[in-house]
C-alpha cells in the first residue's frame, strides 16, 4: 500500500477532508492573479512561472513526501499531511513526480506544521525537478512528440 502526501492549507486534523479550493491570491502578485484566472504567467524571458492547476476541481496527492513538502511551503504556514484518497484516483500528467488527483482526501496524520523549506531543501528539490523535467523531455523526443 502506498503512502500518500498532501501539502497545503494549515490547521487540518486527522479525519478532516482536504477539498479542492480556488488558488490563493496575494494582493499585487501577478503570478497569483494569472493562476486565479486560469492563465500562465510568463517572466521577462517568456518562461512560464507556476502554471495554473489543470484540475481545480480535484485534490492533488503524491507518494513523494518532499514534493508535497514544497506545496505545503507555498501556503502561508502550510502543513504537510499523510492522506488517504477518497474517490477514484486519476494519474496527473502535470508533474514530473508521481501525482494523482481525487475528489477529496482524508487526513490520516499531520507530518509537519508550518512548513518552510531550508535553502538546502530548495536546492535539492530544484535539482530533482530539473532532472525529472529533462527526463520527461527526452522521453517525449524519443516518442516522436
Amino acid at each position: 500500500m502506498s503512502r500518500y502526501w498532501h501539502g497545503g492549507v494549515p490547521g487540518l486534523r486527522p479525519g478532516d477532508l482536504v477539498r479542492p479550493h480556488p488558488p490563493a491570491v496575494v494582493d499585487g502578485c501577478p503570478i497569483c492573479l494569472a493562476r486565479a484566472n486560469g492563465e500562465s504567467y510568463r517572466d521577462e524571458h517568456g518562461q512560464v512561472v507556476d502554471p495554473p492547476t489543470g484540475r481545480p476541481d480535484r485534490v492533488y496527492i503524491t507518494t513523494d513526501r518532499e514534493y508535497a513538502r514544497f506545496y505545503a511551503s507555498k501556503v502561508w504556514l502550510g502543513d504537510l499531511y499523510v492522506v488517504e484518497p477518497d474517490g477514484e484516483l486519476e494519474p496527473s500528467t502535470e508533474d514530473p513526480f508521481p501525482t494523482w488527483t481525487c475528489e477529496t482526501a482524508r487526513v490520516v496524520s499531520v507530518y509537519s506544521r508550518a512548513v518552510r523549506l531550508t535553502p538546502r531543501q530548495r536546492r535539492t528539490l530544484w535539482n530533482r525537478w530539473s532532472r525529472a523535467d529533462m527526463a520527461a523531455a527526452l522521453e517525449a523526443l524519443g516518442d516522436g512528440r
Side-chain angles (χ1 to χ4, degrees), residues 23-37 41 49-50 74:
V25 177
V26 176
D27 286 339
C29 172
I31 298 168
C32 300
L33 186 57
R35 290 189 84 224
N37 291 328
Y41 176 83
V49 177
D50 199 15
K74 288 179 60 174

Side-chain angles (χ1 to χ4, degrees), residues 88-120:
E88 182 181 341
L89 277 179
E90 294 179 11
S92 170
T93 57
E94 297 173 55
D95 305 301
F97 298 105
T99 56
W100 295 265
T101 67
C102 51
E103 293 174 18
T104 60
R106 189 162 306 277
V107 175
V108 174
S109 63
V110 178
Y111 188 81
S112 185
R113 295 269 189 211
V115 173
R116 292 289 170 252
L117 296 182
T118 66
R120 182 178 181 179

